[in-house]
Amino acid sequence: MRRALSVALLALAGLAARVHSQAVVRLSPGPLTLVEAMRLGREQAVSAVLARLNVKLADARLGQRRADLLPLVSGAGRLTRQTLNFDEFGFPGVSGVTDPFNVWSFQVKASQTIYDASLWARQRAASDSAKAAGLDAIAAGDLAAATAGVAYVRLLGSGEEVSARLADSAIAADLLEQSRQLVISGVSPPIDSTRSSVNFAAVRTQLIIARNQQDRNRLELARTLDLPPGGAVQLADSLAVVGDQVPADADSAVAFALAHRTEMRAEQQRLEVTQRSLKAIRYENLPSLGAAGQYTESGNKLNGLEGSYSFGVGVNIPIFDGLKRQTRASEQSARVEEQLLRLHDTDRQIETETRQALLDISAARQQSDLARDRLRLAVLELDQAEERFKAGIASSIETTNAQLNVVTARDVLIQARVALGVARLSAYRALGVLADMQ
């Protein structure tokens, strides 16, 4: 029976953690998968939603810049009750103040910028800024998805810890019962039963701690997904190792990441914004061309209105503004240099994150393999210690130590599997393909 239980314990190390309680409102029914959790994080996380709102703000600013290039049209209507003093004008032979009379006036004005290089440059800069905001939103969504994925994996790990502690409790209870029977039969001293009781209490304490951590991780996942904290989530996946397509060669992975990470493209887009803004300031030194006109109908009666109009085309030539444009251009040049430095730093950051992710996933794979061997040996040690204890040639010290080794080995395996899951998420995010993760 003990051999069968040992095989069952090995199987428990690879079981998925199941989190049971009340149902929670999600976008789709049923257990939550890792991919769905990442999708919810990308869609519902506060940071991702705020980034999408920034896109709307950038689009609104782009619309304001476009408005500078569109015609301006206004209309006005007025009724005036007035008198005129002819003496004020000094007309020969005309004197006195008129009787009160009405004046009706209706006017339409329009103006249009025909050519202004500065406005065109600012409009293109606003367009680039909106594109950068869109890329930032994608990057924020990827980060939120990765955060949700990590929270999901950690909840899986805590669930496996609870399952492991339950299995440990069953073993400790079995050993306690055996020690009591051996004490009753006179084969073992009473201290063996006492040691087994202490070990059983210690394992039960660890079970309480594991359940508490599971509940905390459940709350953290709900917070990450912006779900009600009082709800519950049933997980569909496990910590089982699945295949991935992470490049083994670091240089190839770095080149791939630099070509696919949205953070890099966003910084390049912001560089375009600063460079176009600098051009816009310099273009302010160029002449601008515009047209304006108006049409007015007026008279003292609505059925006797007469029309008049004016239309003109003008050129505005900047000459001297106290060197403000020059100093603004100097300031913007510094911003261009600043953005170039940010672009360089982002390049180095992406390369570092990619290389670190490859190191982490390689180490996590090795740790997971070693942890499985360690657990197998620890279970074998426990079997042998129990056989010696039953035969009366060993005390409960051996079985207690052997079970502690099993507990430690199982914890190491769970931690290695969690680390591998987190490393896999980090690698996909570092490569810029987290949205393609299945």
Side-chain angles (χ1 to χ4, degrees):
M1 178 178 179
R2 287 292 303 131
R3 181 67 60 183
L5 180 59
S6 299
V7 174
L9 290 175
L10 286 173
L12 280 174
L15 288 178
R18 302 292 181 178
V19 186
H20 299 284
S21 61
Q22 303 173 355
V24 68
V25 177
R26 292 196 305 274
L27 294 182
S28 60
L32 184 69
T33 65
L34 174 60
V35 173
E36 185 182 11
M38 293 168 58
R39 178 179 60 82
L40 288 176
R42 183 177 285 105
E43 293 177 358
Q44 299 183 180
V46 174
S47 59
V49 175
L50 289 175
R52 290 195 294 271
L53 289 176
N54 285 334
V55 175
K56 292 184 178 180
L57 293 175
D59 289 338
R61 287 191 291 267
L62 174 58
Q64 295 172 19
R65 289 302 181 186
R66 286 198 186 105
D68 294 335
L69 300 172
L70 298 177
L72 298 178
V73 181
S74 63
R78 184 173 58 187
L79 169 62
T80 304
R81 183 70 173 174
Q82 67 181 69
T83 62
L84 287 179
N85 184 0
F86 290 122
D87 294 332
E88 177 184 354
F89 300 102
F91 294 142
V94 181
S95 179
V97 177
T98 66
D99 294 331
F101 61 94
N102 296 331
V103 176
W104 294 86
S105 177
F106 299 94
Q107 186 179 72
V108 177
K109 292 183 179 180
S111 63
Q112 171 65 58
T113 299
I114 299 176
Y115 174 77
D116 191 323
S118 177
L119 291 181
W120 281 105
R122 294 186 191 282
Q123 191 269 338
R124 288 192 289 268
S127 177
D128 290 335
S129 182
K131 293 177 183 177
L135 293 171
D136 286 338
I138 296 174
D142 285 344
L143 180 57
T147 303
V150 170
Y152 186 98
V153 170
R154 286 176 177 168
L155 181 55
L156 282 175
S158 62
E160 287 202 356
E161 287 182 4
V162 171
S163 298
R165 295 296 82 80
L166 287 171
D168 295 335
S169 298
I171 295 174
D174 188 21
L175 292 175
L176 176 59
E177 180 62 25
Q178 290 181 24
S179 64
R180 287 174 176 173
Q181 293 298 328
L182 291 175
V183 169
I184 292 174
S185 63
V187 177
S188 299
I191 192 173
D192 284 344
S193 177
T194 303
R195 290 195 189 102
S196 297
S197 297
V198 172
N199 182 54
F200 179 73
V203 173
R204 295 293 295 177
T205 300
Q206 293 176 346
L207 175 60
I208 294 173
I209 296 174
R211 282 174 170 166
N212 176 69
Q213 187 60 48
Q214 183 186 40
D215 292 337
R216 291 176 61 88
N217 287 342
R218 182 186 297 114
L219 290 172
E220 182 63 27
L221 178 60
R223 175 71 180 87
T224 303
L225 300 181
D226 196 28
L227 297 175
V233 179
Q234 185 179 10
L235 305 187
D237 293 336
S238 71
L239 288 177
V241 179
V242 296
D244 52 55
Q245 299 178 353
V246 178
D249 180 66
D251 293 335
S252 300
V254 169
F256 185 90
L258 291 174
H260 290 79
R261 284 283 291 272
T262 53
E263 292 94 330
M264 191 68 181
R265 286 182 286 161
E267 294 300 332
Q268 292 171 340
Q269 204 69 53
R270 270 188 280 274
L271 178 61
E272 290 287 335
V273 173
T274 56
Q275 290 174 337
R276 290 191 187 279
S277 297
L278 177 59
K279 289 181 179 179
I281 295 174
R282 291 173 175 170
Y283 287 163
E284 290 178 6
N285 295 300
L286 300 177
S288 60
L289 179 63
Q294 67 178 37
Y295 177 78
T296 304
E297 287 197 352
S298 59
N300 59 1
K301 294 182 180 180
L302 286 176
N303 58 359
L305 300 180
E306 296 292 340
S308 62
Y309 70 90
S310 65
F311 175 79
V313 177
V315 177
N316 181 41
I317 303 175
I319 297 177
F320 183 73
D321 66 347
L323 300 179
K324 288 183 179 179
R325 285 188 292 270
Q326 287 77 2
T327 54
R328 287 168 52 217
S330 178
E331 178 185 0
Q332 189 62 31
S333 296
R335 289 196 176 98
V336 171
E337 294 180 7
E338 182 181 24
Q339 184 56 36
L340 285 170
L341 183 59
R342 286 198 181 98
L343 183 62
H344 171 77
D345 183 64
T346 301
D347 181 287
R348 291 293 178 263
Q349 178 184 350
I350 291 175
E351 180 175 358
T352 302
E353 289 178 356
T354 303
R355 293 183 183 277
Q356 288 176 340
L358 294 182
L359 291 174
D360 290 345
I361 200 169
S362 176
R365 286 169 179 164
Q366 297 178 44
Q367 291 172 8
S368 182
D369 293 339
L370 291 175
R372 278 192 292 270
D373 289 340
R374 179 176 176 178
L375 178 60
R376 178 181 58 81
L377 294 174
V379 172
L380 179 61
E381 179 191 11
L382 178 60
D383 289 341
Q384 294 173 351
E386 186 177 0
E387 291 175 0
R388 287 167 55 83
F389 181 63
K390 288 180 179 179
I393 60 177
S395 67
S396 61
I397 294 179
E398 284 192 15
T399 57
T400 299
N401 291 337
Q403 187 184 9
L404 290 177
N405 289 337
V406 170
V407 172
T408 302
R410 189 178 290 112
D411 284 345
V412 170
L413 177 59
I414 293 173
Q415 293 170 5
R417 288 158 65 98
V418 170
L420 182 57
V422 172
R424 182 168 175 255
L425 290 171
S426 300
Y428 272 74
R429 179 178 179 272
L431 292 171
V433 292
L434 190 63
D436 301 330
M437 185 173 180
Q438 301 296 330

